[in-house]
Amino acid sequence: MKYLYLILALVCLNAFKAAAQERSVSGTIIDSTKLSLPGSNIKLRNELGDSSVTIADVNGKFTFPSVKGSKITLTISSIGYEGLIRHYNLPADNKPVVFDPIILKSATRQLGAVTIVGVNPVVFKEDTVQYSVSAYKVRENAPIEDVLKKIPGVDVATDGTVSSQGKQITKVRVNGKDFFGGDVQSATKNLPADVIESVQIIDDYGDQANLTGVKTGEPDKILNFTIRKDKNYGYFGQATAGDGSDLLPKNPGVKNENRYIGLVNFFKFKGDQQISVLGNLNNTNVNTFSYGTPTSGGGSGFGGGRGGRGNALRGSGSSTTNASGITNARSIGVNFRDQWGKALSVYGSYSFSNNSTYTNSTNKQTNSSSNPSVSNQTSQETSRPTNHRFNFNFEYKPDTLNYLKVTPSFSYNGSDVTSFDNVISTRNDTTNLAYTSNSVSNSTSPNFGLNGFYNHRFKGSRRNLNIGFNANTSKTSAFDNPIYDYTSGEPTAPINQVIYTNSRTNTYGVNFSYQEPLGKVSFLELNYAFNHSYTSSDKETDTLYNTAPDMYHRYDLLSNNYNYTFTTNRFGLNYRIVEKKYNLTLGIGGQPAKLDGVNLLNNVSTSVSTFNIIPAASFNYNFSRSQSLRFNYNGSSSQPSFNQLQPVIDFSNALYPVQGNPNLRPEFSNNVSLRYNMFSFQTGNIFLIGANYTQTDHHIAQNVITYPSRFDPAVLAANPSLINLQNTNLIQYLNTDGYYQARANVLYSKPWSERKYTLILGGQVSYTNNIGFAQSVTALNVMTPIEKNIAKTLTISPQVRFRVNVNDIIDAELFSRMSINKVNNSLTTNGFNENTNIRTFDLGVNGKNYVWKDWTLSYDYTKTLNYGYSSDLKVKNPNIFNAYVERRFLKDHRGTLRLAAYDLFNENTGFSVVQNGSIKTESNVNKLGRYFLLSFTFRLQKFSGKAPSADQGRGMRGGDGGGRPRDEAF
């Protein structure tokens, strides 16, 4: 028995001794720039064989509270950084040990094909949110668009447009360089996700801001895709051919047309050299390129907005879109990038498209004034646009002190349009005007541009000199021949017009900035910008006066020759502080502007001068790599458009003619934005919230003047020209104050089970205070006092999404979204009670199931409930269902056969409501209906990575409180 007591005593003694040897061990994980690395994985193992694991917190700190033994090994890893094994000998005093910061190097070598579990998907930088593509699993050969649909806060609309946190993406880059001139859909729908390392969403302030760090103006939201380094040598090619037919009901006059599609994509990567070729031939509404500048939303518009959400395909590799009308599309393009020597980088693209689109639409337009009117219009239109676009960039960097970028560009837009309209206008439930019109029009518009930017950094002083310049010239030649047949009421526009328009716009500008360091972290920047534009427009309108044979003569009342110039000089001073955790910019500027116009027909000149004080401020604070706050304020001015300035009445629309105002002042907008981002490395939760406010001085608003159905004969005898204004609603423009808009968006994403399941809650809300005016003219030519209407528009759009993503089994999403669009007018008498309250509810599911290894079943169903639309539009509550079954085969899954059916219930239609001041427009437009398509896709690809250099992957040096550690890299 005494031996048992002895054994128990020895055990207790050892336990007490071991407890006495326990201590806490802590440290911080940072990178080579001294920024913390939250989410790093740290594994501790002692000489006794005990081990434990912890994760670095948001500040990169870690703690092991109870560590036994005197020798430990730390194994440290972090996504995007080389792993490190560090050995420590701990001191014998058993006191808590705090290691010196442990530095990890950025990863420079690539691993082979591995399964990555627990990837940190998000990195926040100053103006960039970066998402790791490997964290959002898609199937082999899927386009990068499929990844974007899974990223929280990113929305891919059914027409292919991409937005982030409620703001539309306006440009796309690959490895930091424009791809096909920045055309977003050319990249999102065609680049394979397999070759992309990360997706970056950037607030871009321009080349100068990227080099100097001084940001002014409102940023563009752009996408940047970085190519995986193990894919930087090789090629990827894909070709698709498909054929099918409409499956429309057998009604009189309905014909089932043939449907076809042909697509080709080719990407070649050879280090710095990249070549891409895209081609497209189809009649399923698929456009490879988008021409024109996308808008980012905000200050324009007059309240209201889309009353309903479009419905069409959202699935991967969709062969149709939600575009209006039915389009035959033909396009081809090539993108090139290379490094010519050590100093010169070049990249550019050329694209061509030649389409034809048939559109059938119904519109109801309500004009609210003291004499309200309602017009109903049905239209059929066939348009044939032709587009060429070319741009090339030269970036020359002979050394670390000098940088020069020059970008020549050319574009050509041509159009050929034929249309038929049937219009009925009523006042007090009585038809006051009815007519049909046939119109033939065509136009050509070539555009040449040259942009450049030069940056010089003074050696050893941190001084910067920047010079930028731009020049552009565009010419438009247009022909339009509207022919009216009046069936009721007094004619307004001439029955047969031939309109020739020749216009040209020349713009040029130059800007300078100089940055002087005031201390280690502060700078002072002086800047100046000059911009000048000149626009001339010669419009000649001829009218038919003899029909046998047809003979025309010039109609001076509808002809015009108007020129105007807009000149601005902007100068400013900015003070900037750059610290490790934050940066601050405060600035003040002034901008005199002058708008001069002259009507060459009567030699009447106008001149408007303005001066604006433009403060600027931005503040960025990085709590950590996963948490940031950003504030920005800027002011900007915008000139009126030509149609808003030219003083001659344009009767191209017989019911709503337009007359500009040459005395308009430029608009000036104050823009404030606030954004907070947070990502948890421990849980994967994402929280994003943002707010914007825009207030506009001298806002350009519409004044709608309603003329009587018939003037008194004595009035017409005194002023015969008034006969053309009978039965019309004349639109004029004037400046006003009181316009503002506030917007906010929020998103919360909660993944679990290694992102197999994700719940996404989000929403947007906006409030617009818009101004509109209206007047009426009596039969005795007496104009009523002007009435001011304030249209207060509230839009609320919440959504809930639940995503299931089990690799090679299921990739699906359940969603529910709602849109409330409510417009209240301040005037509730004399017809201004035409308020809007549109509600749209969407419930749906879309996804893909993978069965029998090589089979895919895809489905996309949306049920939409619409409320608040006018009964005249015959708005339905559509069921939109698209599906396909797909089989991949051949070696390396090179071949894919797909049978697809679209809009199985044949209920795809498009409708919208827009309120513009005192005019509300409700529209319904045709969409591509039910059809099936059998297609075959063949892919070829071969890639290899660049070998790592000999010194990559070596160990790091460091120290701690217990002696010098020994490192190993892995």
Side-chain angles (χ1 to χ4, degrees), residues 677-962:
N677 299 328
M678 184 182 72
F679 169 70
S680 171
F681 286 97
Q682 286 81 6
T683 64
N685 296 348
I686 297 175
F687 179 70
L688 309 172
I689 187 169
N692 301 80
Y693 176 78
T694 299
Q695 180 269 329
T696 302
D697 295 326
H698 314 306
H699 174 66
I700 299 175
Q702 287 188 358
N703 181 30
V704 181
I705 304 174
T706 302
Y707 283 86
S709 301
R710 185 186 297 271
F711 277 107
D712 186 272
V715 172
L716 291 178
N719 190 352
S721 64
L722 290 176
I723 193 173
N724 293 315
L725 294 174
Q726 293 180 140
N727 274 327
T728 67
N729 301 283
L730 178 65
I731 297 176
Q732 294 181 335
Y733 300 95
L734 68 161
N735 291 111
T736 186
D737 291 329
Y739 176 89
Y740 61 87
Q741 183 184 63
R743 292 179 294 146
N745 59 81
V746 63
L747 180 133
Y748 175 74
S749 173
K750 171 69 176 178
W752 64 92
S753 296
E754 297 176 356
R755 277 182 292 281
K756 291 179 182 178
Y757 311 100
T758 305
L759 177 66
I760 301 173
L761 307 175
Q764 299 177 35
V765 59
S766 68
Y767 180 83
T768 303
N769 193 82
N770 193 32
I771 310 297
F773 297 91
Q775 290 179 279
S776 296
V777 178
T778 68
L780 297 177
N781 197 26
V782 177
M783 186 171 291
T784 62
I786 191 169
E787 295 179 301
K788 179 180 179 180
N789 179 59
I790 300 176
K792 300 179 179 180
T793 303
L794 176 65
T795 303
I796 303 174
S797 304
Q799 63 168 317
V800 179
R801 296 160 55 192
F802 178 71
R803 176 169 287 277
V804 179
N805 188 6
V806 181
N807 200 31
D808 281 331
I809 297 177
I810 185 174
D811 181 2
E813 180 180 276
L814 294 167
F815 63 88
S816 173
R817 53 184 176 241
M818 176 174 62
S819 175
I820 301 174
N821 193 308
K822 189 173 183 179
V823 181
N824 288 321
N825 296 290
S826 61
L827 295 180
T828 57
T829 58
N830 298 329
F832 264 117
N833 54 0
E834 286 291 335
N835 295 329
T836 300
N837 188 8
I838 303 297
R839 288 94 64 206
T840 301
F841 301 90
D842 287 339
L843 296 171
V845 58
N846 60 73
K848 292 180 283 291
N849 287 65
Y850 307 111
V851 294
W852 302 313
K853 186 178 179 180
D854 293 320
W855 288 83
T856 301
L857 174 64
S858 175
Y859 41 88
D860 186 350
Y861 173 77
T862 302
K863 172 63 178 181
T864 300
L865 303 174
N866 295 290
Y867 303 94
Y869 287 92
S870 169
S871 59
D872 296 335
L873 290 181
K874 300 179 181 179
V875 173
K876 300 179 180 179
N877 297 319
N879 296 275
I880 306 300
F881 183 38
N882 313 288
Y884 68 77
V885 60
E886 181 179 270
R887 169 74 159 88
R888 58 182 187 179
F889 57 99
L890 300 180
K891 183 180 179 181
D892 299 324
H893 302 141
R894 293 177 178 175
T896 302
L897 191 65
R898 174 186 294 184
L899 177 62
Y902 303 101
D903 189 18
L904 285 169
F905 296 107
N906 196 41
E907 295 182 359
N908 191 22
T909 58
F911 30 85
S912 63
V913 173
V914 176
Q915 180 141 349
N916 191 340
S918 59
I919 297 178
K920 183 176 73 172
T921 303
E922 301 171 271
S923 301
N924 192 346
V925 64
N926 69 313
K927 306 281 185 177
L928 184 62
R930 181 170 56 202
Y931 72 98
F932 80 92
L933 197 71
L934 179 65
S935 62
F936 172 71
T937 298
F938 184 74
R939 303 178 182 89
L940 284 175
Q941 70 177 38
K942 183 179 180 180
F943 288 104
S944 61
K946 189 173 183 179
S949 59
D951 61 346
Q952 290 177 359
R954 299 304 177 192
M956 308 174 193
R957 298 179 60 186
D960 63 275

Side-chain angles (χ1 to χ4, degrees), residues 525-546:
E525 187 214 30
L526 298 170
N527 59 76
Y528 169 76
F530 169 82
N531 287 283
H532 177 83
S533 67
Y534 169 77
T535 299
S536 63
S537 180
D538 184 3
K539 176 182 177 182
E540 178 180 332
T541 302
D542 299 334
T543 57
L544 182 70
Y545 71 94
N546 193 329

